């Protein structure tokens, strides 16, 4: 996906119609960076808000909205010098690949002061083959759903962010709730939860399909109760999230007011001892299985290597036995014929009749011809029967038993490898921070917020239990009152499906985080350019907290990192997330260098900005991407286009011009 063009008309400080070409250059060399320079308060953040507003409308997380309603926010965005009859307009042209074809959309939002119904007017224009555009009413009506396929709102903060967000992420021990949810969405970890919700909807439908009228009324009453409880839970969760953020802010104030930090905690060894015992058990199991295989090798199992030869030997022996039996039968018949002829000669039967009898016997005896093939094996019946037993019963049983032992051995060896990997990754000693001697005012503030947070958490837990009770009450109808076999099968199987989804989420999380750890480590080491400081970065599966380890496997406390190194770590985290997600999305950064020192700025300019994405939009002041950094990006041929936001403080208006602070 790419941003192609942004058009602003009477939006914020931008009076009249102003256009920014956002297309990166891809030939003959990739130039991904679109650089926009402006002083503080000159409209840089407004451009970022315009992109968010165009994409998401009333759902957009804009910087100046606060608690305003959408209608009041739109009114606030109208340029103060715009005439009452003039529209405010935002256009954002985007391009993405759909089924192998490039598709171009132009998102257009217009409104006036105090918009009717508190909404803007949305139109999605589709770009045709003849360079004409027309409004796609179907896409306009379903745009909120469609944009979720291109750049979901839940992950937008990981691609459209500012330096303050990076700074906050760098200072926290674990990502805040908003970023936590965005990471889950980006890695696809919310899929099991969505599937579980879809499963619950399916169960409700099946209950209604087979319930009696009275049962249906009861189910609908319980479902209405469940819906109300769920709404209360959502509100309580949102309140809890807000209080958690307040608690984090209060805790940071308390830390700043403290005059002493950090006492190291003890070592964690229990887990390693347990893994050692499990590894020893697994190794003993491997030894036992190998012993069983060696014992099998002392039976008839090795004959499996020459099974085709044994089969041929059996067939040869059977053929020799049949030939020998045929010869005995033939000789017995010939002796009987000679006795018969002797007897006939004694009876003085006429010669003509005797000749006929002889001819008849000779004709009959032609069928008794036996092969003259000499015997090769000359096996007796006992040996042949033993060979038959080995081939049909003993050897197949031994081979099957060997396969079973081999499969068990492979599983046992895999278990040994898994335990050894766990031992290598077992958590070493961690360092815990303890607050000490905080200022009384910050202590009281933190205690107050903590009390509110605990109360909100208890309230949410109570709602969780109430919802669980209601769901249990609802499930009784599927267990006792509903008779449809198909629906019952679905309802009964749902518990197993839920467990499967839970297991799937756990395995998916481990798989994604293993890959993410590698990417974040690689990005951080690449940006830091100091390979001896951090060798590996581990990510907690529950809260995405980062833990750093040196080449000796010892933990590197986060407080040992400088402020700049922490910000590089946060950027490496965001960069690694983008790479693991596999999504080809543009990256837009407001205030990209923040408070970084010159060496860390150099690393970002040289290593991150040109490689962060196929399209990188930078909104900077002259003190961030200064003359040195600008010239460096120019030497790298990384800048496709640059613009300067010129702010007139008297008119409080901004105009957009091509170039940068030092480009002329």
């Amino acid at each position: 996906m790419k941003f192609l063009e942004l058009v602003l008309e009477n939006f914020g400080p931008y009076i009249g119609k102003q256009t920014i070409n956002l297309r990166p250059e891809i030939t003959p060399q990739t130039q991904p960076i679109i650089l926009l320079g402006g002083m503080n308060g000159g409209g840089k953040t407004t451009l970022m808000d315009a992109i968010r507003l165009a994409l998401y409308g009333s759902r957009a997380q804009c910087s100046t909205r606060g608690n305003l309603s959408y209608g009041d926010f739109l009114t606030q965005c109208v340029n103060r010098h715009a005439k009452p009859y003039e529209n405010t307009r935002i256009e954002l042209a985007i391009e993405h690949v759909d089924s192998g074809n490039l598709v171009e959309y132009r998102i257009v939002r217009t409104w006036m002061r105090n918009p009717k119904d508190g909404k803007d007017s949305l139109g999605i224009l589709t770009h045709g083959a003849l360079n004409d555009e027309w409004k796609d009413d179907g896409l306009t009506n379903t745009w909120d759903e469609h944009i979720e396929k291109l750049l979901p709102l839940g992950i937008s903060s990981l691609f459209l962010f500012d330096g303050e967000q990076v700074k906050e992420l760098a200072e926290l021990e674990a990502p805040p709730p908003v970023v936590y949810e965005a990471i889950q969405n980006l890695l696809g970890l919310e899929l099991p939860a969505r599937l579980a919700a879809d499963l619950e909807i399916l169960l409700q439908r099946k209950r209604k399909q087979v319930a009696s009228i009275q049962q249906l009324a009861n189910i609908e009453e319980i479902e209405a109760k469940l819906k109300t409880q769920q709404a209360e839970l959502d509100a309580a969760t949102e309140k809890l999230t807000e209080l958690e953020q307040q608690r984090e802010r209060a805790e940071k104030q308390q830390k700043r007011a403290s005059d002493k930090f950090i006492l190291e905690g003890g070592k964690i060894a229990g887990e390693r001892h347990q893994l050692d015992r499990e590894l020893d058990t697994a190794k003993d199991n491997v030894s036992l299985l190998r012993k069983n295989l060696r014992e099998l090798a002392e039976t008839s199992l090795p004959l499996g290597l020459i099974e085709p030869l044994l089969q041929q030997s059996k067939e040869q022996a059977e053929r020799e036995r049949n030939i020998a039996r045929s010869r005995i039968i033939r000789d017995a018949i010939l002796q009987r014929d000679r006795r018969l002829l002797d007897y006939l000669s004694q009876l003085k039967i006429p010669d003509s009749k005797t000749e006929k009898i002889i001819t008849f016997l000779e004709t009959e005896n032609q069928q008794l011809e036996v092969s003259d093939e000499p015997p090769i094996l000359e096996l007796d019946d006992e040996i042949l029967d033993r060979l038959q037993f080995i081939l049909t019963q003993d050897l197949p049983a031994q081979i099957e038993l060997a396969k079973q032992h081999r499969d068990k051995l492979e599983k046992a060896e895999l278990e040994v490898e898994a335990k050894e990997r766990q031992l290598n990754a077992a958590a070493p000693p961690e360092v815990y921070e303890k607050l000490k001697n905080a200022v009384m005012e910050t202590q009281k503030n933190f205690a107050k917020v903590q009390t509110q947070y605990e109360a909100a958490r208890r309230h949410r837990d109570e709602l969780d239990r109430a919802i669980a009770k209601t769901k249990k009450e609802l499930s009784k109808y599927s267990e006792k009152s509903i008779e449809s076999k198909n629906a019952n099968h679905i309802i009964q199987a749902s518990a197993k499906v839920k467990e499967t989804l839970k297991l799937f989420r756990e395995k998916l999380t481990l798989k994604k985080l293993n890959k993410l750890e590698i990417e974040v480590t690689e990005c951080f080491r690449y940006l830091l350019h100091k390979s001896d400081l951090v060798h590996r970065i581990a990510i907690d599966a529950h809260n995405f907290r980062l833990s750093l380890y040196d080449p000796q496997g010892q933990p590197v406390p986060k407080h040992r990192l400088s402020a700049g190194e922490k910000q590089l770590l946060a950027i490496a985290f965001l960069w690694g997330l983008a790479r693991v997600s596999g999504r080809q999305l543009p990256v837009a950064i407001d205030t990209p260098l923040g408070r970084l020192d010159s060496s860390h700025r150099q690393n970002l300019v040289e290593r991150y900005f040109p490689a962060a994405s196929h399209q990188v939009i930078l909104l900077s002041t002259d003190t961030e991407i200064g003359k040195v950094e600008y010239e460096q990006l120019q030497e790298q041929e990384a800048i496709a286009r640059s613009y300067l936001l010129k702010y007139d403080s008297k008119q409080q208006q901004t105009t957009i011009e091509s170039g940068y602070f030092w480009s002329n």
Side-chain angles (χ1 to χ4, degrees), residues 34 154 321 330 426 473 628:
I34 310 298
R321 182 169 65 181
R330 181 198 62 186
E473 182 181 357
V628 173

Side-chain angles (χ1 to χ4, degrees), residues 195-227:
L195 292 176
D198 292 342
L199 176 62
E200 191 64 32
I201 292 173
L202 175 63
L203 286 174
Q204 292 177 4
R205 291 176 181 172
K206 289 301 177 182
R207 292 187 188 108
K208 290 181 180 179
Q209 287 176 3
V210 296
S212 66
I213 296 177
Q214 181 60 42
Q215 291 169 344
L216 182 59
N218 292 338
I219 290 175
E220 289 180 345
E221 180 182 350
I222 297 173
E223 286 180 346
K225 177 181 177 182
L226 182 61
K227 184 176 180 180

Side-chain angles (χ1 to χ4, degrees), residues 485-505:
K485 293 182 179 180
N486 291 336
N488 274 335
H489 175 72
I490 293 175
I491 294 170
Q492 293 167 3
S494 64
K496 295 181 179 178
V497 174
K498 290 179 180 178
E499 287 298 320
T500 302
L501 286 174
K502 180 181 178 182
L503 181 62
F504 169 69
R505 186 187 187 284

Side-chain angles (χ1 to χ4, degrees), residues 504-602:
F504 169 69
R505 186 187 187 284
E506 293 173 353
K507 292 187 175 181
L508 178 63
T509 301
L510 289 177
K511 180 180 178 181
K512 291 283 189 179
L513 288 187
N514 285 339
K515 188 174 182 181
L516 182 58
E517 288 175 350
I518 295 172
E519 292 290 349
V520 173
T521 301
E522 179 181 332
C523 292
F524 184 53
R525 287 164 60 87
Y526 180 70
L527 292 177
L528 192 60
H529 203 50
K530 189 192 293 184
S531 59
D532 59 339
L533 176 61
V534 174
H535 179 70
R536 182 175 67 89
I537 296 176
I539 301 176
D540 192 293
H542 299 291
N543 57 14
F544 300 129
R545 177 179 178 178
L546 303 183
S547 298
L548 285 62
Y549 298 93
D550 63 18
Q552 288 73 41
Q554 297 301 312
V556 179
K558 199 172 179 181
H559 69 267
R560 280 181 50 189
L561 301 181
S562 67
E565 289 170 341
K566 290 179 183 179
Q567 291 193 43
L568 289 185
L569 176 61
I571 290 173
F573 189 40
L574 296 176
W575 194 6
L577 282 168
R579 291 168 64 170
V580 170
S581 73
R583 292 176 178 262
Q584 295 296 317
L585 296 173
V587 171
I589 312 174
D590 185 11
T591 318
L593 296 178
R595 303 176 184 176
L596 292 175
D597 57 32
S598 59
S599 63
H600 293 134
R601 289 189 178 199
Q602 177 77 11

Side-chain angles (χ1 to χ4, degrees), residues 12 214 294 398:
Q214 181 60 42
R294 288 195 296 270
Q398 296 295 339

